[in-house]
Amino acid sequence: MTVFCRIYFFVLILSTHLFVCGYDSQESKDNWSFRKLEKPKIPSVIDTKWVSNEIDHFVLNKLEQNNLSPPLKAERQILIRRLSYNLIGLPLSKDFQNLPFTRLVDKLIDSSHYGEKWGRHWMDVVRYADSNGLDENLAFAHAWRYRDYIIDSFNRDYPYNQFIREQIAGDLLSIGKPFVESKRLRIATGFLALGPKLLAEPDPVKMEMDMIDEQIDVVGQAFLGLTIACARCHDHMSDPISTDEYYKLAGILKSTRTMEKVTRPTRWFEHVISHPLDLKYYEKFELLISAQKSLIKAFKEKVNAELFAKGKIKKLPKNPVNFYSDAAKKELAELENKLSVYEEKIPKLDFCHGVEDGNVTDLNTFLRGDSDTLGEKQKRGFLSIFPAKSGELPQNNQSGRLELANWITQNSQALLARVMVNRIWLWHFGKGLVSTPDNFGVSGAKPTHPELLEWLACFFIENNWSVKKVNKLILASSTWQSSSQVNNESVELDPVNNLYSRYPVRAMEAEDIRDTWLSISGDLNLTVGGKVFEFENRKHIFNVTSVDQTSYESDRRSIYLPVIRNHVYDFFKLFDFPDPKIVQGERKHLPTSQQALYLMNSPFVQSVSKKIAQKIVTPNMRSSIGDIFSKIYLREVDDHELLESIKYVNQFPNAADSLHPYASLVQAMLCSNEFLYIR
């Protein structure tokens, strides 16, 4: 037997062993992330002067254990630029730059643009898109309502546990609520509805189960950092999740109405969210239209019968109206005009993507994932990792989504809190305390600072699940305010910066790049929320030649640009925008030659550079260059940079006009690492 064959059979035997008994191992049940949450003690440190709050105790304790000195504090200009992009994703206006740091934090965190920045983070996690993707790319014309719900929730600092409950069971929570709140809660269920769907799948059972599998996957990864969907065909390879438990959860979503019909032509369900009075008005118009159509039909039948009786026709022609008398034609025209008036005046109803309870169903286990090979019937329920009492399980007359929402936010709250505080940390530092933010299972990474993660999770729960309070705590820490400067000591003892011996330098996100360009050029429209693009609902985004005719020409912030599955905006895709078909809690930023070529040659960059130069440049060269540095880098130009910039402008070859050298200088600065990276 060859070496390759020996290795192959060893892997086969090992994988079979894991398949049979791996998920049930005591080790997997005792995984750190499944344990009860206990608040650790604050560790002592030697250098107490460096410490600003509890976070620093945990970080400095690790540094001191590894014989590392704490990092220096970042310069103010660097710090406020970092702060501005972390909180609102926009350059800081001049009015704010001189505010004391703590007051500046409050101003930015209370800004309506905070929800846009942090809402976009959440949209990465919940795979937001404006089309279904996969086989047929049809428009989700009302997806923007769920996007605005997210922005509003972060701006209002809605308690995170309630935020989760609304997205799973908002329609059930809306019962008996006033109209505005009821509408908001039904919009929240867009979370479950807006996933990719294989609408051309000929097998309706497979189509529905694929959709349910996707919903289980996003619930598991987004909220609990668990890859529950791995148990669809066999017991989970590493986590204590059985196939039977998968189908207990699947039964809850099978009992949920996401689609109006799964047989072709498929059609997804939508909530009507118009005011009840508007809905009644609409229904009255529907009755008028229906009555008028019946009247027209009866009139035609009467006149046609008269034509037969008078012998003017022997059989009904294709268009009998041609045989009508002038008086009959005139009367018919009046009836049809009245119908047209009714159809024009009928009010438009408002809709949103979402789900509601359907036929309550308990599913059999699909053996090996095959719907034709059924195992035992599974009563709807949850994962045994976090046991639920009998009174907490789904009721017989409802889908079980409300109970699922309660189970996640109560029975599983320790894991829910751990996953979210890790995401918040990641969104501030570019990497999480757990480097696999969507996988807290046995196969995921272990935390670099486990006690800090536990303490933050406890702090989160104690402070009413407030994301803003966790943000303020992190921003006030010396850890976050550290310089990104590298020294020999930190490189040698902390080469990948797991100990936070320096602030991690990270790439600016695609949306922040575009929004900053438009902001500096004076073209950015800062209106928050609302419908920006007109799509015909349920219609193909691509034309018959598969060319995406979606327009991205807009002066609005990037969060409002359409996200088309299978064909993400080229600029976004180039700068590492996440795949909207999957949960992607962490963006992978990879510098490429294509990015450099775009920055050098793109008409968009050139146009922006020219507009910035037009806005800033005056006859005073020194003052103009200083203003350019202030606008782009948010700092003063130093003497060497000023001299080099003057030389660049004066010696610029073949200038088309006096503004051309300045526009080129601006473009060079927009392509620079100092602009493209947060440090």
Side-chain angles (χ1 to χ4, degrees), residues 62 120 188 347 362 566:
K62 282 264 189 182
R120 183 57 255 183
D362 289 328
N566 300 348

Side-chain angles (χ1 to χ4, degrees), residues 130-133 136-141 535-536 538-544 546-550 552 562-565 567:
D130 294 284
S131 73
N132 74 284
E136 297 183 10
N137 224 348
L138 306 185
F140 286 159
F535 294 115
E536 189 174 352
R538 298 190 175 97
K539 298 298 180 182
H540 284 88
I541 292 288
F542 292 170
N543 65 17
V544 292
S546 295
V547 175
D548 184 3
Q549 295 182 325
T550 308
Y552 299 95
V563 179
I564 307 302
R565 288 192 174 108
H567 204 272

Side-chain angles (χ1 to χ4, degrees), residues 265-279:
T266 54
R267 183 180 173 89
W268 59 75
F269 167 77
E270 293 174 355
H271 286 290
V272 179
I273 54 172
S274 294
H275 193 280
L277 293 177
D278 293 331
L279 187 56

Side-chain angles (χ1 to χ4, degrees), residues 274-294:
S274 294
H275 193 280
L277 293 177
D278 293 331
L279 187 56
K280 284 183 180 179
Y281 192 47
Y282 177 87
E283 289 169 351
K284 286 183 178 180
F285 264 94
E286 276 195 319
L287 289 173
L288 284 173
I289 289 169
S290 178
Q292 192 67 14
K293 284 180 177 178
S294 298

Side-chain angles (χ1 to χ4, degrees), residues 458-495:
C458 291
F459 176 89
F460 191 33
I461 295 171
E462 290 166 359
N463 284 273
N464 195 30
W465 300 84
S466 167
V467 173
K468 285 188 176 182
K469 286 185 179 177
V470 177
N471 278 333
K472 287 184 177 183
L473 183 77
I474 291 173
L475 295 170
S477 70
S478 294
T479 304
W480 186 86
Q481 295 184 26
S482 296
S483 168
S484 60
Q485 290 296 317
V486 179
N487 57 49
N488 292 335
E489 180 190 48
S490 65
V491 168
E492 183 181 349
L493 299 177
D494 187 22

Side-chain angles (χ1 to χ4, degrees), residues 280-322:
K280 284 183 180 179
Y281 192 47
Y282 177 87
E283 289 169 351
K284 286 183 178 180
F285 264 94
E286 276 195 319
L287 289 173
L288 284 173
I289 289 169
S290 178
Q292 192 67 14
K293 284 180 177 178
S294 298
L295 191 59
I296 290 170
K297 182 182 177 184
F299 178 80
K300 286 181 177 179
E301 288 174 351
K302 170 180 168 290
V303 177
N304 292 344
E306 289 174 353
L307 292 176
F308 277 112
K310 293 176 181 178
K312 291 186 177 181
I313 56 172
K314 293 183 179 179
K315 65 176 183 177
L316 196 66
K318 189 174 182 180
N319 189 4
V321 177
N322 293 332

